[in-house]
Amino acid sequence: MFASHSQIICTIFGMHIYFYGVILALAIVVGTFVSEYISCKFYEFKKETIIDLAPYVIVFGIIGARLYYCLLNSDFYLRFPTEIIAIRHGGISIHGAILGGLIGLLIFAKRHKLSVLKLADISVIGLAIAQSIGRWGNFFNSEAFGRPTELPWKLYIAPQYRPIPYEGYEYFHPTFLYESILDLGIFLLLFAVVKFGKNKKDGNLALIYLILYSFVRIFVEHYRIDSVLYIMGIPVAIIVSVFIIFIVGIILILRNLPKRNK
């Protein structure tokens, strides 16, 4: 059993420094420099190409993550539109972040005349390790946990953070930890493919990431109790993930079919 004891690291000049923000910043820095290393080591990009790309991906990723979340909670944000820009109150979505980040990547690639597919392959490796680190922000925020459980690795949630139907329970599935471990696994697999793989086709790595992460999200959503939107009783995150697996899987198969000799 384990528990988060505080959201605040310290207070400086009356301003609280939160674990969540520090961990997200750490995740972005680590993800960026991992991608930078890979771009120079295995793709022969100029040094600092990924550093220059990062602001595009980060800014558009944050915008996409917020707008996607607000769209899923449109009833609330139509009533309180000023809350849309209040990101510190919580509410971002990884699917929106991926979409927004892709838009930023496309803009950067076009401006600098670089390969979109190569940049996407490089970026998803950094993204996977960043997600693994970033999920620990949910731990310190006492959020994104799962159903009640009594397993040895159960997570204690303080009463003020328990959803209304679960006030009587103390321990829950640490779904943030499940995803953190699985995201780390995705990172290690993608890195191994880059380091040891042969005859790689540009874009395959990004497609593989999308499929693998979608499976991870389906697994995690099976336990989570805080999905923001359901369609016919199914979390929208699962529906989106299944759609991604289906579409991306077809694309991956078709683009890697052996060429027929004419």
Side-chain angles (χ1 to χ4, degrees), residues 5-63:
H5 297 289
S6 175
Q7 295 182 359
I8 301 172
I9 300 176
C10 61
T11 301
I12 301 177
F13 300 118
M15 180 180 296
H16 295 317
I17 307 299
Y18 290 89
F19 279 105
Y20 187 83
V22 171
I23 289 173
L24 287 187
L26 176 64
I28 290 171
V29 170
V30 172
T32 299
F33 280 98
V34 165
S35 290
E36 173 74 2
Y37 167 79
I38 290 169
S39 72
C40 298
K41 180 74 173 179
F42 302 107
Y43 286 86
E44 299 180 351
F45 272 92
K46 292 181 180 179
K47 190 176 181 181
E48 298 184 354
T49 297
I50 301 302
I51 303 297
D52 293 336
L53 166 66
Y56 289 80
V57 174
I58 293 168
V59 171
F60 280 90
I62 292 174
I63 293 173

Side-chain angles (χ1 to χ4, degrees), residues 30 34 124-136 176-192 209 212-213 216 220:
V30 172
V34 165
V124 294
I125 302 176
L127 175 60
I129 189 64
Q131 286 177 275
S132 181
I133 295 170
R135 275 301 174 187
W136 283 87
F176 82 91
L177 179 61
Y178 299 165
E179 182 168 335
S180 180
I181 293 171
L182 292 170
D183 287 341
L184 178 61
I186 292 175
F187 163 72
L188 294 174
L189 178 61
L190 296 179
F191 185 81
Y209 161 81
L212 291 177
Y213 180 69
V216 167
V220 172

Side-chain angles (χ1 to χ4, degrees), residues 6 18 22 70 77 142 185-186 192 223 229 236 260:
S6 175
Y18 290 89
V22 171
C70 293
Y77 289 103
S142 294
I186 292 175
Y223 290 97
L229 180 65
V236 70
R260 294 181 180 179

Side-chain angles (χ1 to χ4, degrees), residues 9 16 21 26 44 53 75-76 102-103 107 124 141 150 189 194 228 251 255-256 260:
I9 300 176
H16 295 317
L26 176 64
E44 299 180 351
L53 166 66
D75 288 345
F76 173 81
L102 177 59
I103 293 172
I107 294 172
V124 294
N141 261 15
E150 288 296 329
L189 178 61
V194 168
V228 297
I251 294 172
R255 75 193 307 264
N256 290 281
R260 294 181 180 179

Side-chain angles (χ1 to χ4, degrees), residues 86-144:
I87 297 179
R88 66 179 300 174
H89 293 170
I92 56 176
S93 168
I94 184 60
H95 285 129
I98 292 172
L99 181 59
L102 177 59
I103 293 172
L105 187 148
L106 290 170
I107 294 172
F108 178 85
K110 184 176 182 181
R111 288 189 63 182
H112 295 272
K113 297 180 173 59
L114 297 173
S115 168
V116 171
L117 296 181
K118 280 187 172 69
L119 288 176
D121 284 345
I122 294 166
S123 297
V124 294
I125 302 176
L127 175 60
I129 189 64
Q131 286 177 275
S132 181
I133 295 170
R135 275 301 174 187
W136 283 87
N138 298 135
F139 167 66
F140 288 102
N141 261 15
S142 294
E143 63 186 8

